[in-house]
Amino acid sequence: MSEHPELVARVEVDTARYPSLAGRSVLVTGGGSGIGASLVEHFCAQDCRVGFIDLDATVAAGCADVIAAKTGNRPAYAVADLRDIPALQGAIAELAARLGPFTVLVNNAGNDDRRPIEAVTPEYWDERQATNLRHQFFAAQAVLEGMEATGGGSIINMGSISWMRGAAGLIFYTTAKSAIMGMTKSLARELGERNIRVNSIAPGWVLTERQVVRAKAIYQGKFAEYLEAQCLKEHLLPPDIARMALFLAAEDSRLITAQTFIVDGGVV
């Protein structure tokens, strides 16, 4: 049980099983915590061969232990800073050598730290684009050969509704996340003839442990404020995003590509 009651879903539901995912090799970036850890867990529960990349070796090892205990399926992981593209490429190659060519990629890694506009330097701007956008393209590039060799695949990019709402205090983040929609459409057009589908998910405010701690420390009252903006009066949790990713990875969505799916409880 989480120490934060906001992270406990009000209703437990039976969720779908996707036979087409069983045995498939899946790569998740930023998979050690938050939404990424939920993605890894959900794909492991579908009997996939899952690999993930994380910046923190201790966090990654702990995540793999927890998911193995919960699902009986231990994910593999590699440690890399995704801002370092050669390191990212090396981590993907390492995991593919262990798990086989990836037919599903979930470009999840990102960071939505805030900074006032006056404090944004050119160096910080470039670092935020490297953190939230650039690696998504190069991860997709790195898995293309394996996907094509196995007959196709599914790439899922993680966007955000923050840019749709014009969120303040993180313009460098909203700029990157808005670009993901354009990148998704162009990749889908370019890769469709290779039977590779490319879609993106734009989550609303998803309550992870990190977000809850930060909200309670900095944004008092934001829980109620955000629920007021939602049509559905229940906090979004990481599994809500992971279940959309499962659908987009499975053959159930075989003719869906170039789309962005908003999962936000009805905010935008």
Side-chain angles (χ1 to χ4, degrees):
M1 179 70 69
S2 171
E3 63 183 274
H4 303 293
E6 298 87 354
L7 297 176
V8 180
R10 290 193 312 218
V11 179
E12 293 296 330
V13 294
D14 292 328
T15 56
R17 186 158 192 87
Y18 296 97
S20 64
L21 289 178
R24 296 186 72 176
S25 294
V26 177
L27 174 64
V28 178
T29 65
S33 60
I35 295 172
S38 187
L39 287 161
V40 173
E41 178 182 336
H42 278 73
F43 279 106
C44 281
Q46 297 281 336
D47 297 326
C48 298
R49 297 166 57 84
V50 184
F52 70 93
I53 301 172
D54 202 84
L55 181 63
D56 189 314
T58 301
V59 168
C63 176
D65 288 343
V66 168
I67 290 172
K70 291 177 71 173
T71 68
N73 181 6
R74 185 178 185 84
Y77 67 87
V79 177
D81 184 337
L82 302 189
R83 295 169 296 185
D84 180 342
I85 299 304
L88 166 65
Q89 293 165 332
I92 292 173
E94 173 192 334
L95 290 169
R98 296 172 61 183
L99 302 173
F102 292 108
T103 57
V104 177
L105 165 65
V106 187
N107 271 319
N108 166 74
N111 186 295
D112 66 345
D113 282 347
R114 272 71 168 166
R115 180 171 289 194
I117 191 168
E118 295 84 359
V120 176
T121 63
E123 294 76 18
Y124 185 76
W125 179 276
D126 290 345
E127 187 276 333
R128 290 292 90 183
Q129 304 314 302
T131 296
N132 291 304
L133 173 63
R134 185 177 65 167
H135 63 83
Q136 293 206 15
F137 172 81
F138 286 101
Q141 184 188 67
V143 300
L144 291 184
E145 183 178 354
M147 283 191 176
E148 189 171 14
T150 57
S154 175
I155 296 172
I156 303 162
N157 300 320
M158 199 64 69
S160 170
I161 69 162
S162 58
W163 70 268
M164 302 176 195
R165 304 187 77 204
L170 64 168
I171 190 170
F172 35 83
Y173 178 80
T174 59
T175 299
K177 289 300 186 178
S178 65
I180 287 167
M181 180 182 281
M183 181 182 70
T184 294
K185 283 191 169 291
S186 290
L187 281 174
R189 181 67 62 184
E190 188 161 349
L191 300 180
E193 292 185 356
R194 307 188 203 185
N195 198 35
I196 296 172
R197 299 182 296 109
V198 189
N199 293 288
S200 65
I201 300 173
W205 190 40
V206 180
L207 294 193
T208 63
E209 292 280 353
R210 174 177 177 270
Q211 294 287 6
V212 170
V213 169
R214 181 168 64 181
K216 286 186 172 180
I218 303 173
Y219 305 115
Q220 296 296 329
K222 189 167 183 176
F223 297 117
E225 174 190 332
Y226 208 86
L227 278 184
E228 182 63 27
Q230 290 182 194
C231 296
L232 300 172
K233 307 303 182 184
E234 185 172 350
H235 293 298
L236 286 164
L237 299 178
D240 298 312
I241 310 307
R243 290 165 188 153
M244 174 58 79
L246 292 179
F247 171 71
L248 293 174
E251 288 302 306
D252 299 63
S253 59
R254 70 184 189 87
L255 288 180
I256 297 175
T257 195
Q259 304 304 308
T260 293
F261 292 85
I262 296 171
V263 184
D264 70 349
V267 174
V268 298

